[in-house]
């Protein structure tokens, strides 16, 4: 009798486990459908900015608030190294907070380091942010940022990629991702980046598009300050949180009314 009861008890537990698993899978599938869509090159929703590229994405896989892609929204990209210093973290958080407080949408690449702090700083001000991925929506890279990805969507932000759901990230796709980050913005703010950093690539793309490039100066002895210090030397605008004028100029240059004449770099190789 005890043996029979034990078998029945095991069956019940197995059924409960199976039901729980099925509910988990069902919830996961339902979440995939929420606010998810594909925007094709021919669609009205496709960002006009991306059509400037020589090889624009033919489709965008998106989840979240697609209203943020509209041209009337002022957007700025904040970029930097994955292995940031405490100084870089402070600057990324505080610049993204101040920009968001002024109604500007922050764009970044959902990478570790400066990208993550830029997204977080924007959301601290209850503003929305756009994350651009080098992978598919079901293969978030890096894995550590899966929660940040969910938080961005849940807080009215947007996550976009040109890659199908299960595509994995690789070095080539980081470069491709960077061109979207730069092109969607009205300007690029460079926080930190060493000699081999992808930040340098994003700044180069921005220069080719004649976008204003803003840089946060670093200690000359800091390897992570190599790219912003180089760009400042080449004539890009230096930004400092303690300098109200530099921040006002930043806002003016990326605002709807471009009050100042933007620097034009016809040869991006001379800039970087």
């Amino acid at each position: 009798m005890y043996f029979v009861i034990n078998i029945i008890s095991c069956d019940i537990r197995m059924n409960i486990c199976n039901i729980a698993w099925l509910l988990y899978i069902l919830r996961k599938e339902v979440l995939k459908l929420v606010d998810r869509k594909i925007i094709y090159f021919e669609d009205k929703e496709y960002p006009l900015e991306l059509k400037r590229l020589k090889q624009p994405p033919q489709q965008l896989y998106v989840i979240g608030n697609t209203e943020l892609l509209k041209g009337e929204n002022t957007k700025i990209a904040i970029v930097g190294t994955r292995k940031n210093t405490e100084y870089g973290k402070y600057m990324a958080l505080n610049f993204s907070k101040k920009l968001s407080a002024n109604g500007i949408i922050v764009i970044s690449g959902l990478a570790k380091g400066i990208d993550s702090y830029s997204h977080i700083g924007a959301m601290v001000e209850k503003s929305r942010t756009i994350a651009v991925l080098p992978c598919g929506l079901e293969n978030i890279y890096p894995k550590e940022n899966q929660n940040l990805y969910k938080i961005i969507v849940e807080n009215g932000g947007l996550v976009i990629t040109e890659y199908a759901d299960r595509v994995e990230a690789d070095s080539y796709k980081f470069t491709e991702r960077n061109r979207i980050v730069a092109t969607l913005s009205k300007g690029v703010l460079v926080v930190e980046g060493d000699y081999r950093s992808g930040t340098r690539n994003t700044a180069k793309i921005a220069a080719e598009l004649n976008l204003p490039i803003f840089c946060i100066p670093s200690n000359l002895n800091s390897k992570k300050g190599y790219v912003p210090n180089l760009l400042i030397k080449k004539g890009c605008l230096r930004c400092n949180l303690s300098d109200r004028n530099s921040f006002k100029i930043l806002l003016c240059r990326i605002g709807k009314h471009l009050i100042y004449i933007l620097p034009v770099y016809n040869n991006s190789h001379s800039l970087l």
Side-chain angles (χ1 to χ4, degrees):
M1 184 70 177
Y2 175 79
F3 181 70
V4 173
I5 291 171
N6 204 28
I7 290 174
I8 293 170
S9 176
C10 285
D11 284 343
I12 291 170
R13 284 199 298 270
M14 285 180 68
N15 285 332
I16 291 171
C17 287
N18 288 336
I19 291 169
W21 175 251
L22 286 171
L23 287 172
Y24 169 77
I25 295 296
L26 181 62
R27 180 176 177 272
K28 195 173 179 182
E29 292 302 314
V30 169
L31 284 173
K32 286 180 187 177
L33 301 174
V34 176
D35 294 326
R36 282 186 64 164
K37 64 195 302 185
I38 301 175
I39 300 175
Y40 293 98
F41 186 85
E42 302 81 12
D43 293 343
K44 289 182 180 180
E45 287 179 283
Y46 190 93
L48 289 176
E49 298 96 330
L50 293 182
K51 293 187 176 183
R52 293 184 293 171
L53 291 168
K54 292 178 181 177
Q55 293 183 313
Q58 292 306 298
Q59 67 280 315
L60 296 171
Y61 300 85
V62 305
I63 180 167
N65 183 6
T66 55
E67 292 291 308
L68 302 184
L69 290 175
K70 289 186 175 178
E72 61 264 27
N73 292 318
T74 303
K75 301 179 279 287
I76 185 167
I78 301 182
V79 298
T81 180
R82 292 174 178 81
K83 297 179 180 179
N84 59 277
T85 64
E86 281 298 312
Y87 169 78
K89 173 183 174 180
Y90 175 83
M91 288 296 179
L93 282 169
N94 284 279
F95 262 100
S96 58
K97 284 180 193 175
K98 290 190 77 170
L99 288 165
S100 295
N102 282 274
I104 293 164
I105 297 168
V106 171
I107 305 176
S108 203
L110 201 74
K112 290 189 288 185
I114 297 301
D115 287 16
S116 295
Y117 295 123
S118 300
H119 292 306
I120 291 166
M123 290 187 289
V124 165
E125 285 296 326
K126 301 189 186 301
S127 186
R128 294 155 183 174
T129 183
I130 298 174
V132 186
L133 302 180
C135 52
L137 291 172
E138 290 182 27
N139 214 339
I140 302 301
Y141 181 89
K143 300 291 185 188
E144 303 96 296
N145 275 355
Q146 286 183 345
N147 282 336
L148 180 56
Y149 155 76
K150 292 174 185 175
I151 292 167
I152 288 171
V153 175
E154 288 167 1
N155 282 274
L158 179 67
V159 180
I160 70 174
T161 178
E162 62 183 304
Y163 303 109
D165 286 350
R166 298 188 182 279
V167 173
E168 295 184 355
D170 60 41
S171 57
Y172 172 76
K173 294 183 181 68
F174 290 128
T175 303
E176 294 294 285
R177 184 268 313 273
N178 292 345
R179 86 192 195 289
I180 296 177
V181 170
T183 309
L184 283 176
S185 69
K186 292 279 180 69
V188 174
L189 175 62
V190 177
V191 180
E192 286 186 320
D194 55 28
Y195 181 78
R196 296 183 181 278
S197 174
T199 305
R200 193 172 181 180
N201 170 258
T202 308
K204 182 179 177 182
I205 294 166
E208 289 170 348
L209 294 167
N210 290 331
L211 293 173
I213 302 171
F214 310 94
C215 302
I216 295 173
S218 282
N219 187 315
L220 293 176
N221 294 322
S222 171
K223 291 181 179 179
K224 302 300 179 185
Y226 177 85
V227 173
N229 287 339
L230 174 66
L231 291 170
I232 290 168
K233 185 178 177 182
K234 296 290 185 179
C236 294
L237 182 68
R238 177 176 180 242
C239 290
N240 196 316
L241 280 171
S242 60
D243 184 350
R244 291 185 180 181
N245 287 330
S246 75
F247 190 79
K248 284 180 181 177
I249 292 172
L250 187 156
L251 291 177
C252 290
R253 290 198 180 192
I254 63 174
K256 292 179 182 178
H257 306 290
L258 298 177
I259 297 172
Y260 295 85
I261 298 173
L262 305 182
V264 176
Y265 303 103
N266 293 321
N267 185 350
S268 61
H269 296 290
S270 66
L271 178 64
L272 289 165

